[in-house]
Amino acid sequence: MCNNYRLHVPANQIAAPFRDAGRSLGFPSGLPNLPPADYRIGDIAPVVTQGADGPQLTMTTWAWMSPTGKPVFNFRSDGRSFANSVRCLIPADGFYEFTEPKAQGRKTKWLFTMAGQPWFWIAGIIKDGAFAMLTTEPGPDVAPYHDRQIVLLPQGAGVHWLDLSAAEDLMLRPCPAGSLTVQKVWPESP
């Protein structure tokens, strides 16, 4: 499951899809300085939720604790409705998956990016003040690397997730073939 993603996009670019949709993205704590970062479970990261005055970007912890004390960082979307959930958008420009074989005690690390797009959204939900990424069956680009895939949305589709102005089953699906590019980032090829 996705336990590492990156965001190398400034906050003003994250606001652009909302401007394009005739909305403005609010920053309740002020416009954050978002240096390029790789986020891991437990990190505080930017997410967009639907606030009382419209979409807003806040810094939120990735993963809430389950009753057993384990972090919930991915959440299955299959067969569920999120109409009564606090939905969020997680801006990203890449996510990582890890596969065998191990080299020097670590698994092979693969970076996935959206073909032809500088960044995208990951669909998520908020619970107990923290977020988790929604997952679905893997699309053909991810299936060789993992048996699940996080739900990815193009920039312009994010507003539909926040207000459910499109059917959930049309958004909570794997990416079609050729939507993602993949690059091995560790170990580096000679």
Side-chain angles (χ1 to χ4, degrees):
M1 301 310 310
C2 182
N3 61 15
N4 187 200
Y5 72 98
R6 75 175 198 191
L7 178 63
H8 296 182
V9 177
N12 64 343
Q13 286 185 25
I14 294 168
F18 297 99
R19 280 192 307 273
D20 294 346
R23 303 177 187 186
S24 62
L25 179 61
F27 300 95
S29 299
L31 184 66
N33 178 16
L34 296 177
D38 277 19
Y39 293 102
R40 291 173 177 74
I41 298 165
D43 287 349
I44 296 173
V47 299
V48 176
T49 57
Q50 186 65 37
D53 298 324
Q56 61 184 16
L57 185 138
T58 58
M59 301 302 288
T60 307
T61 302
W62 182 13
W64 64 78
M65 288 299 153
S66 72
T68 63
K70 293 184 178 182
V72 176
F73 55 96
N74 291 154
F75 195 85
R76 284 182 175 257
S77 67
D78 313 56
R80 292 186 162 121
S81 172
F82 296 95
N84 295 318
S85 299
V86 178
R87 294 171 304 283
C88 71
L89 294 167
I90 305 145
D93 65 5
F95 68 94
Y96 301 98
E97 292 295 351
F98 300 83
T99 62
E100 299 289 346
K102 290 186 177 180
Q104 301 171 12
R106 294 172 44 194
K107 290 184 177 183
T108 302
K109 186 175 185 177
W110 303 92
L111 171 64
F112 291 82
T113 56
M114 191 169 276
Q117 298 295 317
W119 64 276
F120 51 86
W121 300 111
I122 301 168
I125 57 172
I126 305 269
K127 180 180 175 183
D128 299 334
F131 73 89
M133 298 175 173
L134 296 183
T135 68
T136 188
E137 296 297 319
D141 298 334
V142 175
Y145 304 90
H146 206 287
D147 62 352
R148 299 289 296 167
Q149 172 185 320
I150 53 177
V151 175
L152 305 176
L153 301 170
Q155 294 173 28
V159 294
H160 301 301
W161 175 242
L162 289 182
D163 62 17
L164 289 183
S165 55
E168 288 181 74
D169 63 333
L170 296 178
M171 291 183 283
L172 302 176
R173 57 176 44 181
C175 298
S179 298
L180 301 172
T181 58
V182 62
Q183 171 187 358
K184 184 168 89 169
V185 294
W186 198 92
E188 294 180 20
S189 298

